[in-house]
Amino acid sequence: MKNLLFTLIFIIASFGARSQNITFQKAYSSGNASVFASDVLPVSDGYIVSGSRDTTSANGAAVDRVFLMKIDHDGNVVWLRYYGLGFQVSISKIIEANDGGFVAIGSVAGFNTQWDPQMFLIKTDKDGMLQWQKLIPSYQTNRRNNGYWIQSISDGYILSGRSTKGDVHAVLMRIDNLGNTVWSKRYYYDWGDNPIFVEFYIGGDTIYAVGSKDTASTLSLLHVATGDPISIVRFDSPAFTKGVFNSLAPAQNGDWILLGVGHLPAGGTAPWVCRVSRTGNLRWSRSYSNIGQGSIKPLSDGNFLLITSGTVSGNQKSDPILTKIDGNGEMLWSHKYGLPTQDQFYTASATLDSGIIAVGSVRHSDQSSKADILIVKTDENGWIADCCSLFVYSVVDTIPAGVAPEFNINQSAFDNAIHQHLPSENADLDMLDYCPSIMDSIQVPLCTGDSITLNGVTYTQPGTYTQILPGSSNRCDTLATYILAYAPQTGPTTVSLQCPVDTTVFISQHTDTTKVDYLLPFAMSDCICPEIALSRTAGNESGAYFPVGLHTICYQADDACGMSQSCCFNIRVEPEVIDEACDSKQAGCIRFEVLEVTRNTDGHWVYYTRVTNACAEAVKFVYFQLPAGLVAVAPVNQSGYTSPQGNPYVVRNPNFSPFYAIRFKPAGAALSPGHSDIFRYTLPEQASVSYIHAAARLISGAYFETHLNTFSCPVGTEQSRSDQISNRSTGTAAAVESWRIYPNPVHRETTLTIQAHDTEGCFFQLHDMTGRMLLSAPVWNRQVDLGDAGWTNGVYLFRIHKEGEVLGSGKLVVLR
């Protein structure tokens, strides 16, 4: 299939008078060395710019220096100071210090080792004169530290970074006004989850930090006073295989606008912008085509600025882009600047005159390996009075996203800052006041049957069209040439199609069918024409009536370039089985049931419960309440449990959160969506219960709980586990006799010996006469270490178990 594209070429025809706001576009050169501007800070009489200069010495070694530079409102250099020498040195963020000077954070190598950078702090007075420097080394040899962000508080500063050596740890540090460490922490999950805190804001006594955990984007809330985590929220989207939030801006009503990047299934990336509440509840989620990735800043009019660099498809060129959006994510305007080479913006800021100042780098030709500083000052609408920028064609897409709480981040102490005295020197740059001859092109798809309207004129056919776009009284007119042409799709496209997870729907026993609504599959394609046709190839449509049984539903997605993809999922319709349950409660998409209560020949209470998962995701934990101070006789702690359906579980007995309970953790596909399972656990003789607090937690962290009762459960009888084992042997007495312990009674001994033919993999448990567990220990070489627990004289009950099955039991007498 051919697609209709138009190429838009802008040629400057004329320009108007100087605007009311001072605007300019300038480059700053340092001879043969490359210079980059990394951050900008508006001050009352100009702007403070941070950056780095990269060059080599006479012997070919790297000689990198960071600098601070002050320019006035017209872009003229007031002063510039370099700070020390280093290897791979950079500044990522500069702020105004609490005393009116400036403090900057970055990374530098070359002091202790050439290859492992360390976090780097510079403090100057208001004229850039160096006052102190700090290095923050790693807590471990050959670990790399990078400094990201810094913000002031009343008595010092909070800063963030990361520490890497195979894995990644996030770092937060609080320092006083002299750079001395108040507290310093690093944060980590399991190996490979790689959390980072790229950027943060401080609101009251809370730090709001954006970053990532493994493939998910995160918003983390931490205490300013201690750095301890308050809560962490993770964001995932089926549109992306991986995401990371790297910038945030405060919005009205306490909300945040988060900007990140999502990795597309077919390759490449897309900007990802979300609005969330102060605690992470999602308001909306969007993406913008053709603008690349970068950071976000708040504007004085309540809107927001996206500062990005968009890569030109098919080559190494990049465009520095500014995009203004409102609080609902709607695009107000988008412009690009610089030359048609490899240029980029690193950051930008609202100015005191309601304009915008952006800083980055520019290369003056495609062949140049040397970069110069690029600084662009615009008015509130992104225009430069004496130069014309190009508009950026962008499509705004709503992106599906899921939000879930994250748990159990680990924290440890991190190293303190140490003082470092490096030389500083004055320098200067050559200012290049230039207005590039803007002549560029941009392609926008116009697919078969579509039309496009440009400045009030609608086009449907290929051809060459010109328009003069008049500027306002102080803007330049633009001669726009539109070249609309058919162009074939280059190469095969990739279609991704994600079906819903399998699920089970329960209906009344007295009905044969039920109406089922399900989510449609989510489809994406990298075809230049965005239309995707989604068709159902098997099974009922959503909203149809489904009879009892298993139903397979399949869909196919066809993009406009002729490529397709298919997927299938299952919906099982089952009748509710309520007549066999003593009690049944529904909590959200989880059903809890008490099936049976029995007493075995040992007098123990045996409870059979069933949990049915009709959610869209698997269950992570199941909990059943234990009486206070007691533990379940079986399954024992850290043992395995296999359900009657053959599904394996790992048991924690007891478990203390979210309440005192026995906890079952599914292994494999146990309790996945649409499945149910039966749980059997045994309580001591004195533990007859009328109510059972039951709960389940999904893998996303969603939590469901209810209270079951046993009022309608007739108490049956069953053979005890020890009796069952004994009966499988030559006789009841023989099996029990084969599991003797000595010495018994115990006097001052701290080790017990178990007389049995095989104790490998066994555990020894000791309970008092109330059923309270006092000891659970593995059996090693037929021996058990009692420890020094200060046993009181009396009679105790012991059990020996293996893989959740009680193999032997008896009494232990203590006479000390």
Side-chain angles (χ1 to χ4, degrees):
M1 176 181 292
K2 293 185 177 180
N3 306 310
L4 185 59
L5 309 178
F6 75 79
T7 301
L8 176 59
I9 299 181
F10 289 93
I11 304 174
I12 302 304
S14 62
F15 54 83
R18 198 171 181 82
S19 66
Q20 182 178 358
N21 292 343
I22 298 176
T23 63
F24 59 80
Q25 178 167 282
K26 297 180 183 295
Y28 301 81
S29 176
S30 181
N32 293 324
S34 287
V35 282
F36 309 85
S38 57
D39 198 17
V40 61
L41 175 67
V43 292
S44 60
D45 54 350
Y47 310 96
I48 304 298
V49 179
S50 65
S52 61
R53 178 179 185 269
D54 302 338
T55 187
T56 54
S57 64
N59 60 6
V63 181
D64 303 341
R65 290 186 288 182
V66 292
F67 65 82
L68 296 183
M69 174 176 69
K70 182 175 183 178
I71 61 175
D72 62 21
H73 286 132
D74 289 312
N76 301 306
V77 177
V78 179
W79 52 257
L80 182 144
R81 309 195 199 287
Y82 288 112
Y83 304 96
L85 302 176
F87 177 77
Q88 294 180 341
V89 60
S90 63
I91 289 178
S92 58
K93 180 64 178 175
I94 181 174
I95 63 171
E96 188 171 359
N98 290 329
D99 61 359
F102 308 104
V103 60
I105 186 173
S107 309
V108 63
F111 301 119
N112 298 338
T113 170
Q114 189 179 32
W115 302 108
D116 299 327
Q118 301 169 75
M119 296 172 67
F120 185 41
L121 290 169
I122 299 174
K123 170 65 175 66
T124 75
D125 63 14
K126 63 182 181 60
D127 295 316
M129 301 303 295
L130 186 63
Q131 294 180 315
W132 52 258
Q133 298 166 327
K134 298 285 183 177
L135 286 180
I136 304 171
S138 176
Y139 67 95
Q140 191 179 44
T141 304
N142 296 329
R143 201 167 178 95
R144 302 168 64 88
N145 295 347
N146 297 91
Y148 284 149
W149 199 258
I150 187 168
Q151 188 172 345
S152 64
I153 53 178
S154 59
D155 57 352
Y157 309 92
I158 303 287
L159 56 95
S160 73
R162 73 172 183 177
S163 177
T164 62
K165 185 180 180 181
D167 65 335
V168 178
H169 294 178
V171 174
L172 280 181
M173 176 179 285
R174 179 172 177 171
I175 60 176
D176 62 20
N177 285 317
L178 297 177
N180 301 309
T181 302
V182 177
W183 53 255
S184 182
K185 294 186 176 182
R186 57 187 172 90
Y187 307 83
Y188 52 95
Y189 300 97
D190 296 329
W191 176 271
D193 282 341
N194 297 338
I196 54 174
F197 298 155
V198 185
E199 187 173 313
F200 64 85
Y201 272 85
I202 296 174
D205 59 358
T206 303
I207 302 170
Y208 299 87
V210 289
S212 67
K213 178 202 173 186
D214 192 18
T215 61
S217 304
T218 59
L219 172 66
S220 303
L221 280 64
L222 308 102
H223 290 289
V224 170
T226 62
D228 294 333
I230 300 171
S231 66
I232 300 174
V233 182
R234 59 180 291 155
F235 299 79
D236 293 280
S237 171
F240 304 125
T241 60
K242 178 181 179 180
V244 55
F245 287 142
N246 48 35
S247 188
L248 78 166
Q252 293 180 343
N253 304 320
D255 285 359
W256 299 101
I257 307 291
L258 314 180
L259 171 64
V261 58
H263 294 256
L264 298 170
T269 60
W272 186 15
V273 183
C274 295
R275 179 165 183 159
V276 302
S277 72
R278 187 164 289 268
T279 55
N281 294 322
L282 184 66
R283 311 290 195 203
W284 50 257
S285 171
R286 292 193 162 189
S287 185
Y288 307 83
S289 66
N290 298 328
I291 68 169
Q293 52 187 283
S295 60
I296 186 171
K297 293 292 187 296
L299 296 175
S300 58
D301 59 3
N303 294 307
F304 303 89
L305 185 70
L306 307 182
I307 308 103
T308 60
S309 294
T311 300
V312 179
S313 177
N315 55 47
Q316 298 301 310
K317 297 179 180 180
S318 58
D319 295 319
I321 296 173
L322 299 179
T323 303
K324 185 175 181 179
I325 63 173
D326 64 16
N328 294 318
E330 298 295 335
M331 182 178 291
L332 304 178
W333 51 257
S334 184
H335 302 151
K336 66 177 179 178
Y337 307 83
L339 296 170
T341 55
Q342 187 177 348
D343 311 332
Q344 57 188 320
F345 283 147
Y346 295 110
T347 190
S349 176
T351 59
L352 300 180
D353 61 357
S354 300
I356 298 166
I357 187 164
V359 300
S361 64
V362 60
R363 300 182 190 272
H364 294 280
S365 70
D366 291 339
Q367 291 74 37
S368 175
S369 61
K370 185 182 80 74
D372 291 335
I373 293 172
L374 173 64
I375 301 181
V376 174
K377 169 62 174 66
T378 77
D379 64 10
E380 66 276 11
N381 294 314
W383 295 111
I384 308 167
D386 295 341
C387 298
C388 280
S389 58
L390 301 179
F391 90 90
V392 176
Y393 177 86
S394 182
V395 176
V396 183
D397 289 321
T398 297
I399 298 296
V403 180
E406 184 59 60
F407 302 97
N408 302 324
I409 192 169
N410 304 302
Q411 55 177 320
S412 301
F414 195 67
D415 287 342
N416 296 331
I418 59 175
H419 187 70
Q420 180 77 37
H421 184 70
L422 300 175
S424 63
E425 60 180 295
N426 296 333
D428 203 352
L429 296 173
D430 298 324
M431 184 174 66
L432 307 176
D433 189 359
Y434 78 105
C435 182
S437 174
I438 298 178
M439 185 173 182
D440 204 355
S441 63
I442 186 170
Q443 293 184 333
V444 179
L446 181 62
C447 301
T448 303
D450 288 349
S451 62
I452 187 166
T453 301
L454 301 170
N455 306 302
V457 181
T458 300
Y459 302 95
T460 61
Q461 299 297 321
T464 300
Y465 310 94
T466 59
Q467 294 181 4
I468 295 179
L469 308 181
S472 60
S473 59
N474 58 352
R475 303 283 182 252
C476 53
D477 293 342
T478 302
L479 175 63
T481 300
Y482 306 99
I483 304 175
L484 281 69
Y486 287 109
Q489 173 73 26
T490 57
T493 59
T494 301
V495 181
S496 62
L497 183 64
Q498 180 175 342
C499 271
V501 297
D502 296 346
T503 187
T504 299
V505 178
F506 295 94
I507 63 174
S508 170
Q509 286 184 313
H510 304 292
T511 59
D512 297 326
T513 62
T514 185
K515 182 181 179 182
V516 177
D517 294 301
Y518 56 81
L519 296 175
L520 293 179
F522 178 78
M524 293 186 65
S525 171
D526 58 359
C527 177
I528 198 167
C529 292
E531 295 82 5
I532 297 179
L534 187 65
S535 58
R536 180 169 41 86
T537 58
N540 290 343
E541 63 182 345
S542 178
Y545 281 83
F546 285 62
V548 172
L550 180 65
H551 304 269
T552 299
I553 301 155
C554 299
Y555 275 83
Q556 177 173 310
D558 297 276
D559 68 11
C561 295
M563 303 301 291
S564 63
Q565 185 64 266
S566 299
C567 70
C568 298
F569 61 100
N570 295 316
I571 293 180
R572 182 185 298 275
V573 178
E574 292 185 0
E576 291 181 317
V577 182
I578 59 175
D579 53 353
E580 69 176 72
C582 311
D583 187 34
S584 178
K585 296 289 193 313
Q586 186 77 31
C589 51
I590 301 291
R591 178 178 290 276
F592 300 90
E593 297 169 285
V594 180
L595 299 180
E596 186 180 6
V597 178
T598 64
R599 295 194 75 175
N600 62 28
T601 54
D602 287 338
H604 300 149
W605 294 90
V606 183
Y607 294 86
Y608 290 86
T609 59
R610 180 166 57 201
V611 175
T612 302
N613 177 16
C615 305
E617 53 185 309
V619 170
K620 185 176 184 180
F621 299 119
V622 175
Y623 313 87
F624 298 104
Q625 181 183 15
L626 295 175
L630 299 183
V631 297
V633 176
V636 296
N637 187 43
Q638 298 300 324
S639 67
Y641 167 78
T642 302
S643 71
Q645 289 89 337
N647 296 317
Y649 294 82
V650 178
V651 176
R652 180 174 291 177
N653 174 25
N655 188 73
F656 297 93
S657 176
F659 54 86
Y660 188 72
I662 182 172
R663 190 190 79 180
F664 295 83
K665 180 181 180 181
L671 274 186
S672 57
H675 292 78
S676 64
D677 224 337
I678 295 175
F679 299 88
R680 179 191 189 275
Y681 62 96
T682 305
L683 298 185
E685 182 178 0
Q686 68 273 28
S688 174
V689 296
S690 299
Y691 295 95
I692 303 172
H693 186 185
R697 190 182 300 280
L698 306 183
I699 58 174
S700 65
Y703 179 76
F704 304 94
E705 61 180 343
T706 189
H707 286 81
L708 300 164
N709 67 71
T710 61
F711 300 152
S712 301
C713 296
V715 179
T717 59
E718 68 175 40
Q719 195 176 46
S720 70
R721 299 290 283 179
S722 57
D723 286 344
Q724 296 172 30
I725 297 164
S726 301
N727 290 340
R728 288 197 299 268
S729 184
T730 57
T732 301
V736 176
E737 185 71 13
S738 66
W739 291 90
R740 290 183 177 179
I741 62 173
Y742 61 92
N744 189 6
V746 173
H747 295 280
R748 297 186 180 278
E749 297 86 353
T750 60
T751 301
L752 290 178
T753 299
I754 299 175
Q755 181 180 356
H757 63 282
D758 183 14
T759 61
E760 183 179 357
C762 291
F763 270 75
F764 178 88
Q765 281 190 345
L766 198 64
H767 302 258
D768 64 16
M769 296 305 290
T770 69
R772 183 167 60 95
M773 187 171 68
L774 305 176
L775 174 68
S776 178
V779 180
W780 295 105
N781 296 322
R782 301 186 181 182
Q783 291 188 324
V784 176
D785 185 9
L786 292 178
D788 186 15
W791 306 103
T792 59
N793 292 344
V795 179
Y796 298 84
L797 303 175
F798 74 86
R799 285 184 177 82
I800 301 167
H801 62 86
K802 182 176 182 180
E803 297 180 351
E805 187 172 64
V806 177
L807 304 181
S809 62
K811 294 179 180 179
L812 176 69
V813 180
V814 176
L815 297 175
R816 300 237 176 181

